Amino acid sequence: SAMSKRTIMTVKYDEKSEQWKGQVAGKERASFTGDTKAQIVQKMTKKAKEEGNSQLRIYKKDTPGYEERTYDNDPFPPRG
């Protein structure tokens, strides 16, 4: 239903592994890990768009705070 809660997805830098991780909230394992932020942001953006009703939080590496992007269900996806 339209009232369903948004799926929260995050892109964060993991100090221990020195890698970027893309993760869906509530899931134990990261969906994607990689050396560059851009790579993980790209993969998680695609995932968020595919799932719809998602919110992607892109954390910065060295400073607090994050950029928030919201993807709603698009009844007419652009062809491409």
Side-chain angles (χ1 to χ4, degrees):
S1 70
M3 296 299 291
S4 65
K5 242 169 69 172
R6 274 189 206 287
T7 304
I8 306 293
M9 302 186 185
T10 59
V11 175
K12 283 183 183 172
Y13 184 72
D14 181 57
E15 298 285 345
K16 278 196 289 235
S17 64
E18 297 186 350
Q19 289 210 310
W20 287 90
K21 289 189 174 176
Q23 197 159 359
V24 178
K27 299 260 168 67
E28 205 157 307
R29 295 179 60 100
S31 300
F32 305 106
T33 57
D35 294 325
T36 67
K37 181 179 184 176
Q39 181 188 4
I40 303 303
V41 168
Q42 188 180 11
K43 287 179 176 176
M44 289 304 284
T45 299
K46 186 171 187 282
K47 189 174 174 66
K49 284 179 176 171
E50 281 169 3
E51 296 206 7
N53 198 26
S54 310
Q55 188 180 83
L56 183 58
R57 296 176 178 174
I58 301 164
Y59 287 81
K60 301 179 177 78
K61 184 173 175 177
D62 302 310
T63 53
Y66 56 82
E67 175 196 338
E68 199 172 271
R69 299 180 187 174
T70 303
Y71 300 96
D72 291 310
N73 298 335
D74 186 355
F76 304 106
R79 290 162 71 160

